[in-house]
């Protein structure tokens, strides 16, 4: 990011909302997304498969997506 963009961002830690959670977006073929979800679960990156959104079509042709909310 350039300096101009960095100046537009609020200072780190200045947000008042702690309800926002980090997200990991998984985009690929249906098989790639399912494999990555399983890999995250096995490697204990996600403690439960419920933390993933259902696999849905992505706005890219032939791609699907799921989001892990941590």
């Amino acid at each position: 990011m350039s300096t101009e963009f960095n100046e537009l961002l609020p200072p780190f830690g200045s947000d008042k909302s702690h309800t926002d959670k980090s997200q990991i977006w998984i985009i690929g073929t249906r098989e790639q997304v399912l494999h990555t979800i399983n890999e995250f679960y096995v490697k204990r990156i996600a403690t439960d498969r419920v933390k993933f959104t259902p696999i849905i079509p992505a706005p890219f042709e032939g791609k699907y997506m799921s989001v892990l909310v941590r």
Side-chain angles (χ1 to χ4, degrees):
M1 259 192 229
S2 68
T3 304
E4 296 85 24
F5 288 122
N6 285 337
E7 290 172 355
L8 295 174
L9 294 172
F12 181 75
S14 68
D15 61 335
K16 304 290 187 232
S17 171
H18 294 291
T19 59
D20 291 340
K21 302 198 184 220
S22 62
Q23 298 177 352
I24 299 173
W25 290 52
I26 305 167
I27 300 174
T29 65
R30 188 171 182 81
E31 292 77 23
Q32 290 170 330
V33 172
L34 187 56
H35 177 76
T36 304
I37 289 172
N38 290 333
E39 184 178 8
F40 280 13
Y41 180 71
V42 168
K43 291 183 176 180
R44 317 274 295 144
I45 295 171
T47 56
D48 193 354
R49 286 188 173 96
V50 171
K51 296 188 182 227
F52 291 94
T53 62
I55 298 174
I56 59 171
F60 312 108
E61 187 175 333
K63 301 290 182 181
Y64 292 84
M65 65 184 281
S66 180
V67 179
L68 167 61
V69 179
R70 299 186 76 190

